[in-house]
Amino acid sequence: MTGQKGADSNVKQEIIEKINKIVFLKIKTLIVRNLKKEDVSEFEQVVKNGNSNLLLAFAHKKFPDLSTKIYKEMKLLGQKFSQPAYV
Amino acid sequence: MSETPRLETKQPIDILAQLKSDLGAEESLARVDLHQALVDKGISTDTAGAYEKLEPRSGHWRWPGLISALIAGTYTLSSLTRLYTEKPGNWQEGIRILLDNAVAWAGTSIGKLELTSIILGASAALFWTLVPPKIYEGIFQRETRRSVLADEHREGRANLAGKLGPNIHIDVGKSDPSALLLTGLFHLTGQEVVTFWDENNANFSENPYWQRTKNDWTNRKTLIRGDIQETKCSVVLVSNADDVFLSKRKQDSDPEKKQFQDMTDDEAIGTVGARDSARKKMGLPPIQHIIVTNPKRIVEIDVARHNNQPYQPKTVGAVLEEAFKEKGKAPTIFVSAQP
């Protein structure tokens, strides 16, 4: 029983990690799609730095409405998870 | 005896496995989407490659501490507001409100879900995206400072003055494995170490606190940047071209390719005076200096001379012997060992 619970917990953890990966990929895509030509050089510098916090801070500075767009993306994702197949 | 037909039910593990599989497909689509966006924007291949690999720093998909704290703070505040306005009749109802509030960020409600823990992952992401821009500005400034400091560390010009606490200085020269060994030993005793190198620090990852001297070992600014005010003692690795001390590696004979060299005697003696002088100007007492070298070596510098003795080369061992005989010897100690 404990083994079953453990396996169940591991799968859930993997799923949470996967969701977070998808979330981050979608956020990265939104950042790129919102880039203007004049932002590309700064964007490349931030990417070169390899720091995800810096990237997100850059995105918030450059695209104040990004949160709303991300929220919409996440809402769609949330709705997908709550489809009857999973309930 | 006939077997009771088993009721076909979908077990939670099946649901999870199915969801995991579907999410795999979702992740692939998200990757393709990101790749296409990079192509559409004409981002260079190098940057695009680095960007696709960029992930949260922890590597375990946990949100950074500050963000987590903000998520928890926002969640707690909004939950308390709901508890206050909805006034639950019992604790179960209270818990339902808390969970409902958590998953509400994912665009649905707890009443429609069983996999709450999964949705909480997405909920966290949503909290995270709604953090006020002012907070991000703070993060941006902090991260920028960090990256600048990291660059300075890599370049060997970080200003460490007053930042390290009690520390040990090690003058390395070009490169010497014994510097790594000594640094490790000092770290074991809880001491911070600042190493001083000619140019490149071969052990940056082991000890980021280092200064580039460009062969000027007595530069006051460099010593101050190395937090001389809090230094307890200095260790100078001297071999003067006969070997790289405490290692089997031979000193590079080709002056163009010199990669492994300790300091020379002149340089070592110069640093002793420079460190004490820098501290004296700060109103601080002199420190102990430990010069590590080979006792069989011939020393041809002034330190080998004694009072009015005529100049003659001596071995380090002989200098040591005389130093211990003489009372009131200057606070320079020679620690010797065989290579």
Side-chain angles (χ1 to χ4, degrees):
Chain A
M1 194 69 184
T2 310
Q4 170 73 22
K5 271 188 182 175
D8 192 26
S9 170
N10 283 344
V11 175
K12 279 187 180 176
Q13 184 57 37
E14 284 173 29
I15 287 172
I16 290 167
E17 286 175 7
K18 215 166 245 314
I19 289 173
N20 284 334
K21 272 188 183 182
I22 295 168
V23 167
F24 197 62
L25 280 166
K26 284 183 179 293
I27 290 170
K28 286 201 294 185
T29 306
L30 277 171
I31 291 172
V32 175
R33 291 215 185 282
N34 281 276
L35 275 180
K36 291 175 188 149
K37 265 189 180 177
E38 60 267 27
D39 299 326
V40 171
S41 161
E42 192 178 343
F43 168 76
E44 289 188 333
Q45 282 302 313
V46 172
V47 173
K48 197 176 165 189
N49 194 283
N51 182 331
S52 57
N53 282 347
L54 207 53
L55 172 75
L56 295 167
F58 162 82
H60 269 259
K61 192 175 80 172
K62 291 282 177 188
F63 324 117
D65 62 335
L66 196 66
S67 288
T68 316
K69 291 176 180 171
I70 293 172
Y71 179 78
K72 283 177 186 166
E73 278 277 351
M74 293 309 105
K75 196 171 176 181
L76 286 172
L77 198 63
Q79 284 169 349
K80 244 184 189 176
F81 300 153
S82 62
Q83 291 300 304
Y86 303 122
V87 178
Chain B
M1 193 173 146
S2 65
E3 208 173 284
T4 310
R6 289 173 61 190
L7 186 65
E8 285 294 326
T9 56
K10 207 166 190 179
Q11 298 299 312
I13 192 72
D14 298 330
I15 297 170
L16 291 174
Q18 177 64 41
L19 181 58
K20 193 179 153 189
S21 161
D22 289 355
L23 285 171
E26 189 73 36
E27 186 188 342
S28 300
L29 285 173
R31 284 193 190 283
V32 171
D33 205 20
L34 171 62
H35 183 75
Q36 191 56 50
L38 288 162
V39 171
D40 292 346
K41 286 284 171 184
I43 304 294
S44 67
T45 317
D46 285 353
T47 305
Y51 189 62
E52 283 174 318
K53 286 178 192 160
L54 184 65
E55 291 183 354
R57 252 194 304 197
S58 68
H60 299 289
W61 296 96
R62 290 182 185 132
W63 308 107
L66 176 63
I67 301 294
S68 300
L70 286 165
I71 289 167
T74 313
Y75 171 69
T76 306
L77 195 66
S78 58
S79 298
L80 285 175
T81 307
R82 277 194 65 183
L83 286 173
Y84 180 77
T85 51
E86 294 181 31
K87 293 185 175 51
N90 51 44
W91 67 268
Q92 289 97 333
E93 179 64 8
I95 294 292
R96 190 199 65 76
I97 289 174
L98 290 176
L99 285 173
D100 191 36
N101 196 39
V103 297
W105 293 87
T108 186
S109 76
I110 190 74
K112 298 177 187 170
L113 287 167
E114 288 178 358
L115 305 173
T116 51
S117 62
I118 293 168
I119 298 303
L120 283 173
S123 311
L126 282 171
F127 281 123
W128 169 63
T129 60
L130 294 171
V131 170
K134 196 176 174 185
I135 299 292
Y136 276 89
E137 191 60 37
I139 295 170
F140 184 81
Q141 286 167 359
R142 189 194 65 205
E143 295 296 339
T144 304
R145 275 199 302 275
R146 274 188 186 164
S147 62
V148 167
L149 195 62
D151 282 345
E152 286 179 350
H153 279 286
R154 280 188 206 103
E155 295 296 319
R157 54 182 174 79
N159 186 3
L160 307 170
K163 293 176 186 167
L164 296 187
N167 64 72
I168 310 288
H169 277 189
I170 302 181
D171 286 335
V172 183
K174 278 194 169 52
S175 174
D176 186 341
S178 60
L180 187 59
L181 174 69
L182 286 171
T183 303
L185 288 173
F186 282 124
H187 281 171
L188 281 176
T189 65
Q191 299 289 331
E192 291 294 358
V193 176
V194 184
T195 48
F196 292 76
W197 302 68
D198 273 0
E199 282 293 337
N200 295 317
N201 175 358
N203 301 312
F204 172 76
S205 58
E206 298 293 332
N207 181 39
Y209 301 138
W210 70 285
Q211 295 294 327
R212 187 191 302 270
T213 64
K214 294 191 172 174
N215 234 10
D216 181 2
W217 301 90
T218 58
N219 186 293
R220 189 186 302 272
K221 283 182 184 170
T222 309
L223 294 173
I224 290 172
R225 277 207 314 268
D227 202 12
I228 182 88
Q229 69 196 63
E230 297 182 278
T231 302
K232 292 166 83 174
C233 76
S234 79
V235 181
V236 190
L237 306 176
V238 188
S239 68
N240 216 24
D242 39 17
D243 55 25
V244 176
F245 197 62
L246 296 178
S247 76
K248 302 276 183 199
R249 207 193 302 265
K250 285 287 176 194
Q251 189 96 304
D252 292 321
S253 53
D254 182 353
E256 294 299 313
K257 291 182 181 173
K258 281 182 178 171
Q259 294 291 316
F260 306 106
Q261 277 190 310
D262 288 334
M263 293 172 67
T264 66
D265 294 312
D266 287 333
E267 287 168 339
I269 297 303
T271 65
V272 171
R275 282 201 168 84
D276 286 345
S277 164
R279 284 178 60 87
K280 193 176 178 183
K281 287 222 167 187
M282 294 174 170
L284 298 168
I287 53 172
Q288 292 288 315
H289 303 278
I290 303 171
I291 298 180
V292 185
T293 192
N294 180 345
K296 290 181 182 172
R297 280 187 49 229
I298 300 290
V299 185
E300 297 182 348
I301 55 175
D302 279 351
V303 74
R305 253 192 301 181
H306 224 243
N307 300 328
N308 295 324
Q309 283 181 353
Y311 172 82
Q312 62 171 45
K314 294 180 183 177
T315 64
V316 173
V319 175
L320 257 178
E321 202 176 328
E322 288 169 6
F324 279 105
K325 276 182 188 170
E326 188 185 355
K327 278 186 178 178
K329 181 75 184 167
T332 300
I333 302 170
F334 289 87
V335 171
S336 57
Q338 290 285 356

